[in-house]
Amino acid sequence: MTIATLEGPQCPTPPTLAIVIVNFNSWPDCERLVEAMASSLERIDGRCELILVDNASETPPPSHFENRSGIQIILCPDNAGFAAGVNTAWRRTTARWLLLLNPDTFADADFPEKILHRIAFYEARTEGPPGLVGFALSNEDGTRQHSVGSFPTLAGCLREVWTPRSRRKYWSLGRTRPGPVPWVTGACLLVQASVMEQIGGMDEDFFLYHEEVALCRLARDRGWTVEFDDSITLGHLRPLQSRRVNPVLRVVTRHSKLLYFLKFRPRWEARILAWVITFEAHVRHAWCRWIGQTEDANAWRAVGSIARTLGSDRGLRGIEVRRFAEQSVRDTAPGCRMGSRRRLKGSRGDRPIRLDARKRSR
């Protein structure tokens, strides 16, 4: 992969913290976030760097980013997903800690300094620092936002049918307390570089969503702790659970959920979930066709195809999923039926998914 890098003046000593922002067509959000932290980054120059990975946005980065001290901009030639973007930044830094931030978060001017103070606190603990830390999130109006959850199970997925969308993946706010937790959202996630090295980075089979759940699961399986820390709060403008899911994203999110089950849950749970999603896709595809929502109907047809394929431990992964979803949604061929075995041209969807028996629950 060819990667172009725009670098401002860099400090020769390894930083303690690398703030990683993965962007796709969100330059205004990135510019707002970077400008908010700019003065703090200058004050702590050398201890913190900012790496902004752009996954082939349609427009170039703001020109004034090039002259910012401690900022690297990595321009990737294609959008290979969030995990791939994070891994690109991780491989380019020597920092001991990485802080993953969504572009649509909003921070105080001293936010990087607060994170460095928390890192110093973690590293001074007698029990040692946690492997991953999720900080508190708030909505634009200041109310708390859900950010901690239990690992997915089949029973939990079935209960989601009767759970408000805003809380399907997450613990209730009343249940969320500082300390060890199963997993935390990737919108604001602090992770030790040692964890990334031991695990091999984020799993790029996930194009978008559930990759942070998988990361936390793998870290815990290897003895690292995952913690929630509410001593710092970061605003988050557009969490998935509070916005409309477009047809392409619907395909991607269903793929990610199925892929997680295939990698980490018992085989029988993955097979049952694949059957349930296939049935859901049939029903929703028929309804969308009936009411004339062509793109949604195409998306559900693609979801059904993915569920049938992943149910046999094979299928698309990473960037292939995004390409398949985009092509499927814009497919306007008349008479396309749910049962058609349409495949993305040039895809390798018949490849087996990489599975590690040690990662699967028994």
Side-chain angles (χ1 to χ4, degrees), residues 17 33 88 105 131 138 157 169 217 232 251 273 286 338 342:
L17 174 67
L33 182 58
T88 296
T105 53
S138 66
C157 285
K169 289 176 59 181
R217 175 62 183 270
I232 296 176
V251 178
L273 182 63
M338 182 67 199
R342 180 186 177 279

Side-chain angles (χ1 to χ4, degrees), residues 46-256:
R47 290 188 293 155
C48 177
E49 66 178 350
L50 192 152
I51 304 177
L52 204 162
V53 181
D54 181 60
N55 278 346
S57 292
E58 296 171 0
T59 57
S63 58
H64 62 273
F65 276 7
E66 298 180 40
N67 299 318
R68 288 286 190 187
S69 175
I71 295 180
Q72 295 185 58
I73 301 180
I74 302 176
L75 305 178
C76 298
D78 205 346
N79 182 6
F82 179 73
V86 170
N87 288 345
T88 296
W90 161 55
R91 295 184 183 109
R92 296 293 293 270
T93 184
T94 57
R96 299 196 308 274
W97 294 82
L98 285 78
L99 178 68
L100 314 184
L101 286 184
N102 274 15
D104 64 333
T105 53
F106 52 99
D108 297 332
D110 59 349
F111 177 72
E113 294 171 287
K114 291 179 180 177
I115 297 296
L116 286 171
H117 289 155
R118 294 308 292 172
I119 289 175
F121 168 77
Y122 301 142
E123 293 182 337
R125 298 191 317 190
T126 56
E127 69 272 27
L132 301 96
V133 181
F135 296 102
L137 297 175
S138 66
N139 297 303
E140 192 171 9
D141 61 3
T143 57
R144 288 182 62 192
Q145 191 175 111
H146 301 274
S147 60
V148 174
S150 298
F151 290 120
T153 63
L154 181 62
C157 285
L158 296 178
R159 283 196 301 269
E160 289 178 359
V161 176
W162 294 277
T163 305
R165 183 164 165 254
S166 62
R167 292 191 289 110
R168 286 178 184 173
K169 289 176 59 181
Y170 301 104
W171 285 357
S172 66
L173 295 176
R175 182 183 176 186
T176 304
R177 294 286 186 271
V181 295
W183 67 269
V184 290
T185 181
C188 179
L189 175 60
L190 182 68
V191 56
Q192 281 199 59
S194 298
V195 174
M196 299 287 280
E197 291 165 6
Q198 189 176 122
I199 293 174
M202 276 190 153
D203 189 344
E204 296 182 20
D205 284 356
F206 295 90
F207 178 76
L208 193 63
Y209 299 108
H210 278 82
E211 65 277 279
E212 80 270 52
V213 185
L215 180 66
C216 292
R217 175 62 183 270
L218 290 172
R220 283 169 56 101
D221 286 350
R222 285 159 174 77
W224 296 95
T225 58
V226 179
E227 296 185 8
F228 172 69
D229 185 346
D230 65 354
S231 66
I232 296 176
T233 300
L234 185 73
H236 187 202
L237 293 174
R238 294 181 293 277
L240 178 66
Q241 65 268 22
S242 66
R243 57 187 164 99
R244 181 184 180 275
V245 178
N246 65 52
V248 170
L249 194 56
R250 190 179 305 283
V251 178
V252 169
T253 55
R254 288 299 195 280
H255 172 273
S256 294

Side-chain angles (χ1 to χ4, degrees), residues 322-331 342 344-345:
R322 190 259 298 173
R323 290 170 176 166
F324 177 67
E326 291 174 345
Q327 185 168 332
S328 297
V329 167
R330 66 173 179 259
D331 185 354
R342 180 186 177 279
L344 179 63
K345 191 175 188 179

Side-chain angles (χ1 to χ4, degrees), residues 274-329:
W275 182 86
V276 170
I277 291 180
T278 300
F279 177 77
E280 175 196 25
H282 272 279
V283 173
R284 291 183 180 272
H285 170 263
W287 172 251
C288 289
R289 286 190 66 196
W290 176 261
I291 62 177
Q293 294 181 348
T294 303
E295 288 191 347
D296 289 292
N298 290 344
W300 284 112
R301 187 178 72 242
V303 167
S305 176
I306 285 174
R308 289 193 301 273
T309 307
L310 288 182
S312 60
D313 294 356
R314 309 178 78 84
L316 304 169
R317 75 289 306 276
I319 193 171
E320 299 170 349
V321 179
R322 190 259 298 173
R323 290 170 176 166
F324 177 67
E326 291 174 345
Q327 185 168 332
S328 297
V329 167

